[in-house]
Amino acid sequence: MKNRIAFQGELGAYSHQACRDARPDMEALPCHTFEDVIGAVREGEARLAMLPVENTTYGRVADIHRLLPESGLRIVDEAFVRVHISLMALPGVALEELEVVRAHLVLIPQAAGFLSQYGIRGEAAADSAGAAAELAAEQSREVGVLASDLAAEIYGLNILARHIEDHSHNTTRFLIMEPEADFSRRGEHGMMTTFVFQVRNIPAALYKAMGGFATNGVNMTKLESYMVGGSFTATQFYADIEGHPEDPPVKRALEELDYFTEKLEILGVYPRDPRRD
């Protein structure tokens, strides 16, 4: 299997930045869709997959929770990327020359204050890194791009202003996945366990299933539901908890959860990222 880490998007995307930060010794492999990322790992074109799951501003990434259980991959690490927005243009272009900036739709509102200050109009693009590549190709002096510093580096653009986002908390959480699970204890900041489950069709099943985590003092950092199989009654839950499955409190909580579920599948056991704090 090639020493590559696959991500969705163009070179210079924030997912590419996540790959570079978390696995600097690996070659980043851009893919068109999340399904392509998963397929690249399953077919041996890449060793790892870098998949975004949630953002502090926009919540969970659409469809990703449906894809994870079906992927055949297992979570082995997590990575957090602070979304810093830079304004870039062709070399030699001054800020005052810009009439419009292009970026992914979600980035433009995050730099609304800066754009308003300079009277620059935002224009939505399919992908911010792709917009940077297009600008480098078309050589439009009146056009700028909002993207990562990495995109400017790759496409030879000049950064006119850095960190122009209105809010300083915007962070995306990524999961690093590979075909084989790793249940070893590692890292210096504790462990995380991610799993999916479906509750049995009994009254208050979810309430009863969650009771074991409360009574055993296990911290659940995420619990989300989504529909599966086209049914309004077959609801699947996705959960993140702090701890390792062999920790006595976690083990007891999972045993109690299993009693109230029709399906319970651990998607990964991995080191807790210190940036959670």
Side-chain angles (χ1 to χ4, degrees), residues 65-80:
H65 293 77
R66 173 184 60 82
L67 291 174
L68 293 184
E70 302 169 0
S71 69
L73 307 182
R74 292 295 177 261
I75 306 164
V76 295
D77 210 346
E78 65 178 352
F80 289 76

Side-chain angles (χ1 to χ4, degrees), residues 43-66:
E43 295 165 14
E45 289 300 311
R47 186 162 60 86
L48 299 177
M50 178 71 75
L51 293 169
V53 288
E54 57 192 328
N55 176 271
T56 54
T57 300
Y58 291 95
R60 76 179 183 185
V61 176
D63 290 336
I64 201 68
H65 293 77
R66 173 184 60 82

Side-chain angles (χ1 to χ4, degrees), residues 170-242:
N170 193 2
T171 301
T172 300
R173 177 183 175 231
F174 293 83
L175 297 177
I176 301 175
M177 306 186 73
E178 65 176 329
E180 299 297 327
D182 183 355
F183 282 77
S184 66
R185 295 181 185 271
R186 53 202 190 277
E188 301 177 353
H189 303 278
M191 299 291 290
M192 297 292 298
T193 298
T194 294
F195 55 91
V196 292
F197 64 95
Q198 291 182 21
V199 294
R200 293 166 53 195
N201 187 24
I202 58 175
L206 180 60
Y207 174 80
K208 295 173 182 177
M210 294 295 95
F213 296 94
T215 57
N216 286 285
V218 177
N219 186 28
M220 180 170 287
T221 61
K222 175 176 285 294
L223 177 64
E224 293 190 355
S225 64
Y226 57 101
M227 301 299 179
V228 293
S231 170
F232 285 101
T233 58
T235 299
Q236 185 154 284
F237 294 88
Y238 170 101
D240 294 333
I241 60 172
E242 293 185 343

Side-chain angles (χ1 to χ4, degrees), residues 5-239:
I5 180 166
F7 70 94
Q8 186 275 327
E10 302 285 344
L11 292 173
Y14 290 101
S15 293
H16 184 194
Q17 184 69 58
C19 294
R20 176 179 280 196
D21 292 348
R23 295 294 188 274
D25 58 325
M26 299 183 71
E27 177 188 354
L29 176 65
C31 298
H32 184 61
T33 66
F34 293 137
E35 289 88 347
D36 293 338
V37 173
I38 293 167
V41 177
R42 296 180 66 172
E43 295 165 14
E45 289 300 311
R47 186 162 60 86
L48 299 177
M50 178 71 75
L51 293 169
V53 288
E54 57 192 328
N55 176 271
T56 54
T57 300
Y58 291 95
R60 76 179 183 185
V61 176
D63 290 336
I64 201 68
H65 293 77
R66 173 184 60 82
L67 291 174
L68 293 184
E70 302 169 0
S71 69
L73 307 182
R74 292 295 177 261
I75 306 164
V76 295
D77 210 346
E78 65 178 352
F80 289 76
V81 170
R82 175 73 175 81
V83 181
H84 287 301
I85 302 174
S86 289
L87 171 62
M88 58 199 68
L90 295 174
V93 173
L95 179 59
E96 293 72 23
E97 295 181 65
L98 298 183
E99 299 176 4
V100 61
V101 294
R102 296 172 183 162
H104 190 284
L105 182 61
V106 301
L107 284 192
I108 295 173
Q110 297 178 39
F114 183 92
L115 298 181
S116 176
Q117 178 184 350
Y118 288 94
I120 303 173
R121 176 171 53 88
E123 185 176 282
D127 179 89
S128 292
E134 290 174 3
L135 177 58
E138 68 185 27
Q139 297 287 298
S140 299
R141 294 185 62 86
E142 73 280 3
V143 176
V145 168
L146 301 180
S148 68
D149 287 5
L150 181 57
E153 174 189 328
I154 290 173
Y155 300 111
L157 301 178
N158 182 45
I159 296 177
L160 299 175
R162 283 184 168 86
H163 302 180
I164 64 172
E165 58 272 10
D166 293 336
H167 303 288
S168 60
H169 58 73
N170 193 2
T171 301
T172 300
R173 177 183 175 231
F174 293 83
L175 297 177
I176 301 175
M177 306 186 73
E178 65 176 329
E180 299 297 327
D182 183 355
F183 282 77
S184 66
R185 295 181 185 271
R186 53 202 190 277
E188 301 177 353
H189 303 278
M191 299 291 290
M192 297 292 298
T193 298
T194 294
F195 55 91
V196 292
F197 64 95
Q198 291 182 21
V199 294
R200 293 166 53 195
N201 187 24
I202 58 175
L206 180 60
Y207 174 80
K208 295 173 182 177
M210 294 295 95
F213 296 94
T215 57
N216 286 285
V218 177
N219 186 28
M220 180 170 287
T221 61
K222 175 176 285 294
L223 177 64
E224 293 190 355
S225 64
Y226 57 101
M227 301 299 179
V228 293
S231 170
F232 285 101
T233 58
T235 299
Q236 185 154 284
F237 294 88
Y238 170 101

